[in-house]
């Protein structure tokens, strides 16, 4: 029987991810699980400075993950600071829907605290987002 790793150790995947993988394995979709795991990128930092015409617009719609340590990127839009980042960044470090934010300005905390930190940045301030 498949059990949650959350029953045995600290959470390594969200409940949603675990349920999705469990359902694929039960349905004979193990090759789909392998493909999904292989597509996960290494964590990276996005450094933005709230300056320019779009300093007020980060360009992310985020929501809490099943794991309270993360914010999930639901969508990315522009013109915004993130769309400008994506336009100039390699594909490997572009922010896209489905990514998770795990820290803001080097602080790993709960999703609501990260959201507060993002919203507290003002014109001219730097914001560093840890993306996984």
């Amino acid at each position: 029987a498949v059990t949650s790793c959350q029953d045995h150790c600290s959470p390594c995947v969200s409940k949603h991810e675990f349920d999705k993988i469990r359902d694929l394995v039960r349905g004979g979709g193990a090759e789909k699980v392998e493909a999904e795991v292989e597509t996960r990128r290494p964590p990276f930092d996005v450094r933005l400075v709230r300056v320019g015409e779009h300093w007020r617009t980060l360009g992310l719609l985020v929501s809490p993950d099943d794991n309270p340590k993360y914010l999930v990127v639901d969508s990315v839009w522009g013109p915004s600071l993130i769309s400008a980042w994506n336009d100039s960044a390699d594909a490997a470090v572009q922010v896209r829907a489905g990514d998770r934010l795990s820290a803001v300005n080097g602080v790993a905390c709960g999703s609501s605290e990260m959201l507060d930190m993002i919203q507290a940045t003002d014109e001219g301030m730097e914001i560093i987002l840890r993306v996984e």
Side-chain angles (χ1 to χ4, degrees):
V2 177
T3 62
S4 170
C5 67
Q6 295 173 349
D7 296 336
H8 305 289
C9 61
S10 62
C12 54
V13 296
S14 70
K15 181 176 178 350
H16 173 74
E17 288 172 320
F18 177 82
D19 290 343
K20 186 175 173 184
I21 291 168
R22 181 198 61 217
D23 292 344
L24 285 170
V25 170
R26 285 182 178 165
E31 58 281 345
K32 291 180 185 175
V33 172
E34 287 179 18
E36 187 171 313
V37 169
E38 289 173 11
T39 61
R40 191 169 290 273
R41 301 174 291 170
F44 59 94
D45 288 336
V46 174
R47 290 179 174 269
L48 305 169
V49 180
R50 287 201 181 255
V51 295
E53 181 181 356
H54 305 292
W55 75 266
R56 293 178 195 255
T57 308
L58 193 57
L60 294 176
L61 177 63
V62 296
S63 62
D65 187 47
D66 292 337
N67 182 333
K69 295 179 183 179
Y70 299 101
L71 282 171
V72 175
V73 177
D74 295 319
S75 65
V76 178
W77 75 87
S80 66
L81 295 174
I82 289 291
S83 67
W85 166 273
N86 282 349
D87 288 346
S88 64
D90 291 333
V93 292
Q94 291 180 357
V95 181
R96 42 189 196 221
D99 285 342
R100 298 182 304 178
L101 305 181
S102 61
V104 175
N105 294 337
V107 179
C109 52
S111 57
S112 61
E113 291 88 354
M114 282 191 285
L115 189 56
D116 290 343
M117 292 173 70
I118 292 168
Q119 292 173 339
T121 57
D122 204 356
E123 186 174 12
M125 295 177 71
E126 182 179 60
I127 184 168
I128 304 168
L129 304 173
R130 182 69 166 175
V131 179
E132 297 186 13

